Amino acid sequence: MPAQPHPPLPPALVRRKVTVPLADGTPALFHSFDGLVDGREHLALGLGPQPADGIPLVRMHSECLTGDVFGSQRCDCGPQLEEALQRIGTAGGYVLYLRQEGRGIGLYAKLDAYALQDRGLDTYAANRHLHQPEDARDYRCAAQMLVALGVTRIRLLSNNPDKAEQLAQHGIEVIERVPTGVFLTAHNHAYLSAKVRFGSHDLDIDDTAP
């Protein structure tokens, strides 16, 4: 069944645009915003050329301090971010960097969930044990950001169908969902397997440890 539209979101505005060279020298146009419904400091990074058909490739990347900054192998977040910066830098589009650590439950709660995973719980069961949502991420701000950027049709770089569904509910047309790579390690197999079994992520992994 198609996603049902939600009431219109209040408009957000681009607050500031600043060009920042990334580690490989690629220029990224950082956008900040006013009027985002959750009041957080989300960012949009404009990368690459203008797509010939005007439809940008977009990655909605939820902040992961442990993976993005420290290179943790317990998840696939760091490699996914690196992949997104490279692919969008070639294709043209945006990385929306969303301040939703730990699938929206925060950094400390995420570390608490890691401790429970060390005792045998999967990532979703660990969140429930902490009386947290399995996935608390809300992509209304991402839709607001895209509209503020003048974008209503995208190609979405994601293995997660929930992202496309939430965007559609808020007026963003996802004309294609482009899969990311599978960044499997000995430390994140259970995590990725749980995303397939409980989160319906499109990941081609077997059910045995690597």
Side-chain angles (χ1 to χ4, degrees):
M1 178 181 296
Q4 296 301 309
H6 284 204
L9 293 167
L13 298 173
V14 174
R15 176 181 177 274
R16 183 79 65 193
K17 295 189 285 187
V18 179
T19 299
V20 177
L22 303 183
D24 63 356
T26 299
L29 187 59
F30 279 61
H31 301 74
S32 59
F33 298 87
D34 284 326
L36 298 178
V37 291
D38 67 0
R40 295 179 180 175
E41 294 183 333
H42 306 296
L43 293 171
L45 282 65
L47 295 160
Q50 175 70 23
D53 61 3
I55 302 174
L57 182 63
V58 173
R59 168 73 183 168
M60 299 194 306
H61 186 87
S62 296
E63 180 180 42
C64 176
L65 180 72
T66 51
D68 298 342
V69 176
F70 297 110
S72 167
Q73 294 190 32
R74 292 189 68 141
C75 61
D76 56 348
C77 302
Q80 281 191 327
L81 179 58
E82 292 179 11
E83 176 195 38
L85 293 171
Q86 293 170 1
R87 292 177 67 173
I88 295 173
T90 298
Y94 297 95
V95 172
L96 305 186
Y97 196 79
L98 305 175
R99 312 299 297 277
Q100 302 188 121
E101 183 80 44
R103 296 203 306 276
I105 67 173
L107 178 60
Y108 281 15
K110 182 177 81 170
L111 295 179
D112 292 340
Y114 278 175
L116 291 170
Q117 291 169 47
D118 289 342
R119 290 161 45 187
L121 275 66
D122 66 64
T123 179
Y124 294 92
N127 280 20
R128 293 195 302 271
H129 188 85
L130 295 170
H131 306 291
Q132 298 278 4
E134 290 184 351
D135 192 335
R137 290 175 294 180
D138 180 345
Y139 299 111
R140 291 178 299 162
C141 288
Q144 285 183 294
M145 293 161 72
L146 289 169
V147 172
L149 294 167
V151 174
T152 57
R153 303 178 73 218
I154 68 170
R155 293 181 173 87
L156 181 63
L157 182 61
S158 179
N159 300 319
N160 183 355
D162 181 56
K163 292 182 177 181
E165 291 167 6
Q166 287 201 39
L167 286 178
Q169 291 169 357
H170 296 292
I172 303 299
E173 181 182 359
V174 179
I175 67 164
E176 180 184 7
R177 187 157 56 84
V178 181
T180 74
V182 179
F183 302 101
L184 184 65
T185 74
H187 303 282
N188 70 14
H189 185 275
Y191 167 78
L192 295 183
S193 179
K195 290 208 294 186
V196 172
R197 287 183 287 122
F198 303 116
S200 300
H201 289 230
D202 298 323
L203 290 168
D204 185 16
I205 60 174
D206 62 34
D207 202 29
T208 59

